[in-house]
Amino acid sequence: MTIRKIPINLRSVYNKNIAALTVDDCSQTVVANRHHLLTGEQELWGIPFLLGPDGGAAEKSDAAASPGSEPTSPAVPSVAADPANVILLKDADVHIPLPGGVHDRQLVFVHAADFKESPAQPDGMTSPMLGTPRLGEVVCTYVLNYDDGTRVEVPIRRRYEISEFNTAWGENSFEAVKHLKPFAIPDKSLEREGMASYPWGKTQIATTFQGEGSPMHHWLYALENPYPQKLLIALTLHPVDGAAFIFGITGANASSHPLRWGERKKLKLKSAAALNHYGKEADIYIDMGAVISVTPMLRYDNERWCGASRDPQPVPSADEWIVEYTAHPDACLHVRGARPVSLPIREWERRGEAEFGESQTLPVRLRVLEKSTNKPVAAKVHIHGRWGEYVAPVNGHRQPNPRWFEDYGAEHVNGFHYSVYINGEADYKLPRGEVFLEVTKGLEITPIRKRIVIDEHTSEIIVELERVLPWRQKGWVTADTHVHFLSPQTALLEGEAEGVNVVNLLTSQWGEMFSNIGDFDGKTTIGSVQNGGTGEYLVRVGTENRQHILGHISLLGYEGSMILPLCTGGPDESALGDPLEATITQWARMCREKFGLAVLPHLPNPRAEGAASIVLGEIDAVEICSFEVSGISPYSLSDWYRYLNCGYQVPAVAGTDKMSQSTAVGTIRTYSLIRGEPFTYESWMRSVRKGLTFVTYGPLMDFTVNGCEAGATIEMAASGGTVDVVWHAASVTVPITRIELVVNGEQRECKTADGEQPSCAGAWTVNVSESCWIALRIRGAYPGQAEIITAHSSAVFVKVDGKPAFRAADAVTILEQIEGSTAYIKTLATRADERIFKQLLDTLHSAHSALHRRMHERHIYHRHATHEHHRH
């Protein structure tokens, strides 16, 4: 049942026409802005008002046209000859009879005070300091007249019951609200035609403020009737100090203050179509409140939640929606569409389709402990309730943002599965009843999933984590070579929670935008013992230097000043008009001279000058990248195999290129082996340079050839021979389906694995007749999902008769890539001065000559990009 809200017709007592206001009536500011004052039928904060007539020429505000939205362009009175449409309370009382009388609990006024300045003293100071508007000054009094002769005077004070048409930030009223209620605003990806556009930063706030968008604020004040049992027969408005405008009055019988909304709640709604809750065309809205979000109900497999490790991705419902809202208890929810619905919020609650508000949830502290030490440890946490709705900690986003370079918390968005990173402890408000908990930490600890019943006795949840795969104890450390946009401390937290020992946070440039510039100092390893950390989890800020054609290079751990320019050669990477001032090879060389690690990122693209860098020996590793969780790309591996096939011993590392919360730090990661020395950032770099690495989405491996780990070179006589390959693989995340031995890019051996078993091992003997490289490749899949490449080792090289491997077909493609890079510099690249131009070409020519010489030594002839090469 809806509450009574009846507008009072003031037509007989209006004494001014808005369009005819002059400076004799009010301030020049009001006169200049009179076209912004409201007239006509309006719905403000869900309450209907009958304001003064607009003369028939003006349009109604958006609020009147659409009860689910707010006015953006108030009505404009037509001409001065129109009838009076506002009460100007200035020089005389205004008496408002209420024919038949009313027993309303509240009288809701739409009114505003004219501006009044506080005079300053000669020194510029103001005393007494009342603020703007002048705090507590009585503008007028409203007198309630009852049929038994009772009179009640209500003082109407500035910044209490009324305020001026515009107020400074931070000086809102204590008992009145601006006529535009706050509402949710869409992010940029959801904006539609005809919808108000908001700047990027504003969309991250996701809500307007009351009054936003209106140059002239009309204030709503709900006067509580002290004697609703008596018959109220008239109002008398009495001016006291300054002028006031009264636009309209509505009588209401709300169960509580009609302008006070309740706490955030949720309800479940069935609808065959997605529901838009933005703007004038909203499909769903609340009159005395606001819809915060509408998200599909998520269907988790809660029956198997506590079972074996698996991808927890839920299935979003196509016809059931979770509506988050804030509203007055008497509010109504309206749904448009083929089957429109208008029901009081109380009715939804009575039907059991609404959740309790947050004050009726229970405070619970979650503690994640390391079982062996009983100490808190960082971890990634997910909790959802009975409707599949994500439950965030008190200080977390309820709707984590997966988009590029937007509002970040320490969170992860895996499709519809949301998680938060915590540093061992977190405070929650959990709903009573069942909740479903998931805690993960890296690839060596089995994910823990629990079903927990929350009741008044639940104050703490303790989860113990135990390492079940001992790769760290064997000397392996993990790393993500490529992370963007996090603060160093957030990167440290996420790295620890994901079990990533080394996070390389990269400063870079995108056009005119720069990231993490102030975090780079060329010396500090965050988390190291020397800098107050434990030394087990480290963050180092490096740079990703980029050119949109020639390629990118990740410069890790170098010392001293930043290697510049960060980006060059204009869009897509640097700013318009930037000339080409450096090559990938030059950047890599500078990094290594500064004791850093030069990594060719997200192999193979941009696929150009990186070939020259590898040929010249300036690359320490190539990066197998994860833009999504779709496994290691065969396309990327094919590019890497080209260089291995030509004897270039570049190891593999892994980096996520994380640029949003849709990618977790270490989704794909490097494992590198450190033995005989403590783990530090420097020892990690040495391990990578040696090639003691494998990259993985989940499965871990031990892999040796004749007892030698990846990165080693085995010398054999011209007659060749055999090598013994021994391997062990294990996984607590992605089930292993196949283990493959790769020789010179081709599968030589294969073993099918039982995905239900956490580990497997084997050995092969391989005949070697010519120089080659050997590596281990692992495939895996979650049940019901496609098989992907999940892990790959760096290579062991076997050199027969002292000659490195060399495959002619691959050498030709590498040479042509260098020639293409040279052609770009000569033709399209924006040139700097002649000296730099020649330096760029010299770098490419050096690489071309080095590879060209090797090809000639092996009598390999080919077609050049610009001319035919003939045998001399």
Side-chain angles (χ1 to χ4, degrees):
M1 183 175 181
T2 58
I3 65 168
R4 179 181 181 274
K5 295 175 287 188
I6 305 297
I8 296 172
N9 191 332
L10 303 180
R11 185 179 292 255
S12 64
V13 294
Y14 287 134
N15 57 15
K16 283 289 180 181
N17 179 268
I18 290 172
L21 290 172
T22 70
V23 292
D24 292 330
D25 301 314
C26 54
S27 67
Q28 177 60 47
T29 302
V30 173
V31 173
N33 289 277
R34 60 186 183 269
H35 56 288
H36 291 297
L37 303 186
L38 294 180
T39 58
E41 296 179 11
Q42 302 283 350
E43 184 176 289
L44 308 173
W45 289 69
I47 300 170
F49 291 93
L50 182 61
L51 308 185
D54 56 24
E59 297 179 1
K60 293 180 181 179
S61 75
D62 290 340
S66 173
S69 60
E70 292 299 318
T72 56
S73 54
V76 180
S78 55
V79 295
D82 284 338
N85 52 15
V86 71
I87 296 172
L88 175 61
L89 187 62
K90 183 178 180 182
D91 298 318
D93 288 357
V94 173
H95 188 72
I96 303 174
L98 302 175
V102 298
H103 289 282
D104 295 317
R105 294 195 189 99
Q106 302 95 12
L107 296 173
V108 186
F109 287 77
V110 181
H111 60 190
D114 199 358
F115 299 94
K116 182 180 180 183
E117 295 185 2
S118 297
Q121 297 174 352
D123 62 358
M125 304 301 292
T126 302
S127 181
M129 173 55 181
L130 300 179
T132 305
R134 294 166 63 86
L135 177 65
E137 283 194 345
V138 176
V139 178
C140 52
T141 58
Y142 294 165
V143 182
L144 282 66
N145 303 287
Y146 298 90
D147 66 344
D148 65 355
T150 303
R151 296 177 75 254
V152 176
E153 290 192 9
V154 180
I156 306 300
R157 301 162 293 174
R158 295 180 195 267
R159 280 206 71 193
Y160 281 82
E161 298 82 9
I162 199 169
S163 200
E164 295 172 359
F165 281 106
N166 216 313
T167 58
W169 176 83
E171 304 220 34
N172 283 329
S173 287
F174 303 123
E175 296 188 49
V177 297
K178 297 172 184 175
H179 70 283
L180 296 180
K181 68 180 182 181
F183 56 90
I185 60 176
D187 61 67
K188 287 294 182 185
S189 67
L190 295 177
E191 287 187 6
R192 298 174 174 85
E193 184 178 353
M195 188 180 296
S197 179
Y198 296 89
W200 171 85
K202 183 66 178 178
T203 65
Q204 306 310 289
I205 299 173
T207 180
T208 63
F209 308 128
Q210 59 168 263
E212 189 170 335
S214 175
M216 295 291 276
H217 299 143
H218 302 60
W219 295 88
L220 271 64
Y221 163 60
L223 190 160
E224 291 286 342
N225 184 354
Y227 303 116
Q229 71 278 14
K230 297 183 179 183
L231 189 65
L232 180 64
I233 59 173
L235 300 172
T236 302
L237 314 181
H238 174 67
V240 175
D241 185 356
F245 292 83
I246 293 83
F247 297 88
I249 308 171
T250 290
N253 279 296
S255 60
S256 59
H257 196 296
L259 302 175
R260 182 175 64 237
W261 294 349
E263 63 187 345
R264 199 165 44 241
K265 293 184 178 181
K266 295 184 179 77
L267 60 83
K268 184 172 64 173
L269 178 69
K270 288 189 71 69
S271 172
L275 298 171
N276 167 41
H277 62 288
Y278 298 116
K280 292 185 294 183
E281 304 304 319
D283 305 308
I284 180 170
Y285 64 94
I286 293 176
D287 50 13
M288 298 175 71
V291 175
I292 299 169
S293 65
V294 181
T295 56
M297 183 174 173
L298 302 178
R299 301 189 185 280
Y300 281 91
D301 188 355
N302 290 332
E303 294 299 318
R304 297 181 55 216
W305 181 255
C306 300
S309 300
R310 57 187 175 82
D311 185 0
Q313 191 65 224
V315 177
S317 172
D319 61 356
E320 287 188 293
W321 307 87
I322 305 301
V323 180
E324 190 176 39
Y325 66 94
T326 173
H328 189 277
D330 301 333
C332 282
L333 176 74
H334 304 272
V335 183
R336 297 188 178 106
R339 299 178 63 183
V341 176
S342 293
L343 279 177
I345 292 291
R346 293 184 192 276
E347 181 63 18
W348 294 95
E349 295 174 349
R350 188 188 67 78
R351 294 180 177 189
E353 298 294 334
E355 286 279 13
F356 290 115
E358 291 189 359
S359 66
Q360 294 167 292
T361 57
L362 296 169
V364 177
R365 170 159 289 190
L366 173 66
R367 303 182 68 218
V368 179
L369 307 178
E370 186 177 51
K371 189 173 183 179
S372 61
T373 64
N374 205 38
K375 292 181 179 178
V377 291
K380 183 166 68 177
V381 175
H382 162 89
I383 298 177
H384 69 261
R386 64 188 177 109
W387 291 341
E389 75 280 14
Y390 172 66
V391 181
V394 172
N395 60 343
H397 291 91
R398 299 189 312 282
Q399 296 283 334
N401 188 341
R403 286 171 291 278
W404 188 82
F405 197 60
E406 293 194 2
D407 180 31
Y408 287 1
E411 290 143 342
H412 179 218
V413 178
N414 175 17
F416 287 95
H417 185 69
Y418 299 161
S419 303
V420 63
Y421 296 104
I422 69 168
N423 198 11
E425 295 184 344
D427 292 316
Y428 281 83
K429 291 182 178 179
L430 297 180
R432 295 172 185 268
E434 288 186 331
V435 299
F436 300 86
L437 169 71
E438 175 189 59
V439 181
T440 65
K441 185 179 176 67
L443 307 181
E444 299 169 47
I445 294 169
T446 303
I448 290 179
R449 297 193 180 97
K450 291 186 174 184
R451 171 188 169 274
I452 301 170
V453 177
I454 305 299
D455 59 27
E456 62 273 12
H457 303 294
T458 311
S459 61
E460 186 175 72
I461 298 172
I462 296 177
V463 175
E464 293 182 326
L465 297 180
E466 182 177 15
R467 191 179 298 270
V468 295
L469 297 182
W471 261 247
R472 181 67 186 93
Q473 289 90 324
K474 294 178 180 182
W476 291 94
V477 297
T478 59
D480 189 332
T481 54
H482 199 158
V483 173
H484 291 292
F485 301 155
L486 297 179
S487 71
Q489 286 302 128
T490 301
L492 188 65
L493 169 62
E494 295 194 14
E496 183 175 353
E498 291 286 1
V500 178
N501 301 106
V502 178
V503 176
N504 290 280
L505 182 60
L506 302 186
T507 294
S508 198
Q509 174 184 358
W510 287 262
E512 302 285 357
M513 184 189 86
F514 293 84
S515 68
N516 293 100
I517 290 291
D519 297 319
F520 178 91
D521 67 0
K523 62 181 180 181
T524 302
T525 301
I526 298 102
S528 65
V529 174
Q530 296 89 333
N531 289 291
T534 64
E536 181 65 11
Y537 297 96
L538 309 176
V539 172
R540 184 68 178 250
V541 181
T543 60
E544 184 187 7
N545 296 56
R546 301 155 66 239
Q547 208 284 330
H548 69 294
I549 297 293
L550 297 181
H552 299 185
I553 188 76
S554 295
L555 309 179
L556 313 182
Y558 65 87
E559 299 175 6
S561 58
M562 187 180 291
I563 294 173
L564 300 174
L566 280 172
C567 294
T568 190
D572 300 344
E573 314 299 2
S574 69
L576 276 167
D578 282 350
L580 181 60
E581 297 179 282
T583 64
I584 304 304
T585 307
Q586 290 171 335
W587 277 325
R589 186 175 295 135
M590 285 189 281
C591 174
R592 300 175 92 198
E593 289 170 352
K594 290 171 174 277
F595 312 107
L597 198 69
V599 175
L600 203 61
H602 41 65
L603 205 70
N605 294 330
R607 198 162 76 97
E609 194 232 327
S613 307
I614 290 176
V615 166
L616 291 173
E618 299 294 351
I619 298 299
D620 293 302
V622 297
E623 180 184 273
I624 306 301
C625 191
S626 157
F627 292 107
E628 300 293 340
V629 290
S630 53
I632 296 172
S633 165
Y635 186 72
S636 298
L637 291 179
S638 299
D639 196 69
W640 178 40
Y641 289 176
R642 291 190 305 152
Y643 299 106
L644 300 180
N645 287 342
C646 291
Y648 297 110
Q649 296 180 236
V650 281
V653 294
T656 54
D657 200 3
K658 173 181 170 63
M659 287 191 278
S660 75
Q661 292 185 153
S662 62
T663 301
V665 169
T667 296
I668 184 171
R669 65 189 64 186
T670 311
Y671 269 76
S672 53
L673 185 60
I674 299 175
R675 283 183 180 160
E677 61 178 326
F679 164 51
T680 64
Y681 188 85
E682 289 69 28
S683 65
W684 172 76
M685 288 196 293
R686 285 193 289 270
S687 174
V688 171
R689 291 189 188 104
K690 293 175 184 177
L692 294 167
T693 66
F694 67 86
V695 298
T696 183
Y697 270 92
L700 309 186
M701 67 172 74
D702 285 317
F703 163 68
T704 62
V705 179
N706 279 4
C708 299
E709 270 112 0
T713 299
I714 298 172
E715 300 282 352
M716 300 187 86
S719 59
T722 62
V723 293
D724 294 321
V725 176
V726 179
W727 58 269
H728 171 216
S731 179
V732 294
T733 54
V734 185
I736 297 171
T737 55
R738 277 194 288 168
I739 298 90
E740 301 170 338
L741 187 70
V742 180
V743 179
N744 283 351
E746 304 293 334
Q747 179 183 307
R748 180 70 63 87
E749 301 285 352
C750 178
K751 179 178 175 62
T752 302
D754 180 358
E756 296 297 321
Q757 298 299 316
S759 67
C760 54
W764 293 298
T765 297
V766 179
N767 292 317
V768 175
S769 59
E770 61 181 0
S771 297
C772 64
W773 59 271
I774 302 172
L776 199 69
R777 186 170 64 200
I778 299 177
R779 297 179 187 266
Y782 288 111
Q785 297 186 12
E787 185 180 65
I788 59 175
I789 300 173
T790 54
H792 204 296
S793 74
S794 286
V796 173
F797 288 82
V798 181
K799 191 179 291 186
V800 176
D801 196 23
K803 299 175 182 178
F806 196 83
R807 185 182 176 194
D810 288 319
V812 169
T813 68
I814 295 169
L815 192 70
E816 289 180 345
Q817 196 168 315
I818 296 171
E819 290 175 348
S821 302
T822 305
Y824 168 74
I825 292 174
K826 287 181 175 179
T827 58
L828 297 179
T830 300
R831 294 189 183 184
D833 59 49
E834 192 66 20
R835 178 184 61 84
I836 292 177
F837 174 66
K838 289 181 178 179
Q839 286 178 350
L840 302 179
L841 287 181
D842 286 347
T843 299
L844 274 294
H845 289 156
S846 296
H848 189 278
S849 297
L851 180 54
H852 197 248
R853 190 180 311 112
R854 290 188 66 196
M855 295 173 71
H856 275 230
E857 289 170 354
R858 291 173 179 262
H859 308 290
I860 299 168
Y861 301 97
H862 62 99
R863 178 179 296 276
H864 285 259
T866 55
H867 64 278
E868 186 73 26
H869 180 79
H870 298 286
R871 184 179 308 201
H872 299 294

